[in-house]
């Protein structure tokens, strides 16, 4: 937990036992007859963590998690499927433990709409669920790119079938072929992720498809993070890096990317489109940051547009990175705040969050990046703590093995 340990939290809320809950919390007392109901939309790193911690910290609330898929494929580590270091089953998770261990009700359905005045959500399957507090964590949706057909030109930026498609296309690419990938202008999901992918693929092609080329078309003016690490690797692997290459369209059949830096023809084309908050955020009128992301109060992640709705993970618009590790941290801050609000209290006033990314650079080495964010009262925003920022000097095999320790911790903290 970012701001209190569990014991302090339970003591502060008086939730150490049902008896103390009844004395300390009028809102939760009412729960004896009508228990507060928190609905969480989306079972990724943000939503699954929020659902788990709500119930881990309080059995006085009912929690329903609505997620259409029974299996979640982690985007984290998914680049290692492209070079055959991992398979999808090694990065797949289900919601059985959240249900059996924490008593979360899991509903496999898609949320079509939210009726905020009535505090209900409408599911595609036809049912309606009422909530006292709603947490929405739908990740990203892709913005339109003219001519792009993702069944021919995969993004592989949500893991699963798209990851397999890109892996199969690379496996079928002739030696001496050309792999082209595009990177959208920031902000996008996982700042180092695209550069990591270019490195992993280029390293794999060196051995498996000799004489092949890798071209990275970046809409940004320069590598957005870990510039020294990625530019050194690009030089070593012979990756052609093209900055300021804004994508204007795609010929999905001919596999051509049209950009402000020219047209680039590929044997395998990987277009990572620009992104915005998940569709349900837009449909609910919550995308009030640049008409793309959801504005929230970072003390509670409650929407600045609609009360009783909280947004966490990649969809939130606080300026914190769009990444799974920090989504897990935001979820804990949000769960803490929701429990406090449900019992008539106020959110903790000084939350902190942490972001961490390990990036494989080859099949045996990795780099890392980390940063802490703290709430600044004067501006009401999350600010990077400058002295907390850290990055590895060079990619190493030790980092590569620690990467799996880190993911094991994160995966367990989210799904187990
Ligand atoms: C190649 C790659 C590498 C990465 N590496 C790292 C890394 O090293 N470190 C790191 O921290 N992050 C990394 N990330 C980023 C990380 O995966 C994302 O930031 C994270 O998945 C965001 O979590 P989320 O819960 O917001 O969204 P998601 O994980 O996308 O989950 C959203 C869920 O919401 C569900 N959903 C959406 N709409 C609805 C609806 N209407 N009704 C019901 N359910 C809905 C979806 O089905 C989905 O399961 C990486 C990403 C990629 C692509």
């Amino acid at each position: 937990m970012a701001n209190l340990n569990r014991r302090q939290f339970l003591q502060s809320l008086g939730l150490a036992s049902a008896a103390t809950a009844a004395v300390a919390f009028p809102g939760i007392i009412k729960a004896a007859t009508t228990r507060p109901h928190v609905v969480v939309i989306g079972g990724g790193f943000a939503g699954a963590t929020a659902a788990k911690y709500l119930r881990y910290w309080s059995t006085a609330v009912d929690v329903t998690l609505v997620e259409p898929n029974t299996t979640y494929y982690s985007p984290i580590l998914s680049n290692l499927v492209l070079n055959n270091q991992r398979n999808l089953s090694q990065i797949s998770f289900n919601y059985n433990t959240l249900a059996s261990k924490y008593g979360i009700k899991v509903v496999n359905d898609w949320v079509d709409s939210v009726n905020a005045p009535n505090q209900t959500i409408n599911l595609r399957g036809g049912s309606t669920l009422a909530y006292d507090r709603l947490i929405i964590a739908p990740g990203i949706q892709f913005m339109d790119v003219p001519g792009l057909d993702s069944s021919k030109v995969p993004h592989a930026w949500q893991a699963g079938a798209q990851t397999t498609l890109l892996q199969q296309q690379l496996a079928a690419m002739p030696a001496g072929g050309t792999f082209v990938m595009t990177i959208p202008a920031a902000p996008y999901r996982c700042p180092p992720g695209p550069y990591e992918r270019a490195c992993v693929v280029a390293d794999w092609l060196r051995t498996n498809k000799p004489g092949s080329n890798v071209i990275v078309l970046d809409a940004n003016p320069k590598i957005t993070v870990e510039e020294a690490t990625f530019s050194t690797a690009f030089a070593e692997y012979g990756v052609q890096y093209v900055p300021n290459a804004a994508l204007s369209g795609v010929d999905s059949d001919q596999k051509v990317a049209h950009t402000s830096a020219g047209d680039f023809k590929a044997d395998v084309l990987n277009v990572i489109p620009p992104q915005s908050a998940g569709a349900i955020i837009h449909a609910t009128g919550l995308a009030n940051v640049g008409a793309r992301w959801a504005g929230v109060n970072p003390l509670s992640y409650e929407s600045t547009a609609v009360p009783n709705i909280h947004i966490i993970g990649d969809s939130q618009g606080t300026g914190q990175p769009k990444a799974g590790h920090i989504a897990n941290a935001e979820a804990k801050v949000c769960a803490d705040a929701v429990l406090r609000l449900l019992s008539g209290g106020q959110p903790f006033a000084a939350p902190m969050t942490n972001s961490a990314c390990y990036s494989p650079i080859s099949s045996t080495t990795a780099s890392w990046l980390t940063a802490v964010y703290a709430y600044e009262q004067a501006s009401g925003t999350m600010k990077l703590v400058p002295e907390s920022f850290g990055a590895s000097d060079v990619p190493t095999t030790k980092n590569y093995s620690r990467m799996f320790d880190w993911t094991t911790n994160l995966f367990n903290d989210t799904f187990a």
Side-chain angles (χ1 to χ4, degrees), residues 22 40 43 79-80 112-113 122 139 156 161 167 170 180 210 214 226 229 278 306 329 392 401:
V40 181
N79 282 332
L80 292 182
D112 271 335
S113 61
N122 300 310
Q167 186 269 330
L170 286 166
V180 176
V214 174
E226 295 182 74
T229 296
V306 181
S392 54
S401 102

Side-chain angles (χ1 to χ4, degrees), residues 109-126:
D109 208 336
W110 180 262
V111 179
D112 271 335
S113 61
V114 176
N115 185 330
N118 284 355
Q119 297 195 189
T120 56
I121 63 169
N122 300 310
L123 307 187
R124 191 155 289 179

Side-chain angles (χ1 to χ4, degrees), residues 42 44-46 67-68 72 75-76 110-111 139 189-190 314 323-325 356-357 406:
F45 286 102
E67 159 64 50
Y72 175 80
I76 299 175
W110 180 262
V111 179
R189 164 175 282 183
C190 192
D314 285 359
H325 183 110
C357 287
W406 164 73

Side-chain angles (χ1 to χ4, degrees), residues 116 119 131-136 281 285-289 293-313 315-318 320 330-331 333-342 345-348 351 375 380 382:
Q119 297 195 189
Y131 63 82
D132 293 295
R133 291 263 166 189
L134 177 65
I135 299 175
I136 313 187
I281 297 292
L286 303 171
N288 57 356
V289 174
W293 312 105
V296 296
N297 172 356
L299 293 180
S300 61
Y301 290 86
E302 186 165 4
S303 166
T304 52
V306 181
N308 297 322
I309 297 181
H310 304 249
I311 303 103
I312 51 174
S315 281
Q316 53 72 33
T318 61
Q320 295 173 102
E330 292 162 15
V333 174
C334 178
D336 175 15
V338 163
L339 290 174
R340 288 167 185 256
L341 289 164
L342 282 172
Q346 287 301 309
F348 180 65
Y375 182 72
M382 297 300 286

Side-chain angles (χ1 to χ4, degrees), residues 105-186:
K105 186 174 180 204
V106 179
V107 175
N108 291 126
D109 208 336
W110 180 262
V111 179
D112 271 335
S113 61
V114 176
N115 185 330
N118 284 355
Q119 297 195 189
T120 56
I121 63 169
N122 300 310
L123 307 187
R124 191 155 289 179
S127 47
T128 298
L129 285 178
Y131 63 82
D132 293 295
R133 291 263 166 189
L134 177 65
I135 299 175
I136 313 187
I140 50 164
Q141 70 173 355
F142 298 111
M143 295 163 81
D144 283 343
V145 175
L148 178 62
D149 176 350
S150 293
S151 70
K152 295 172 182 167
V153 174
H155 53 75
W157 218 237
Q158 285 160 329
Q162 280 276 309
T163 316
T164 302
L165 181 60
L166 183 56
Q167 186 269 330
Q168 288 171 343
Q169 290 188 356
L170 286 166
M173 189 173 100
T178 300
F179 171 68
V180 176
M181 62 178 287
T182 71
I183 303 175

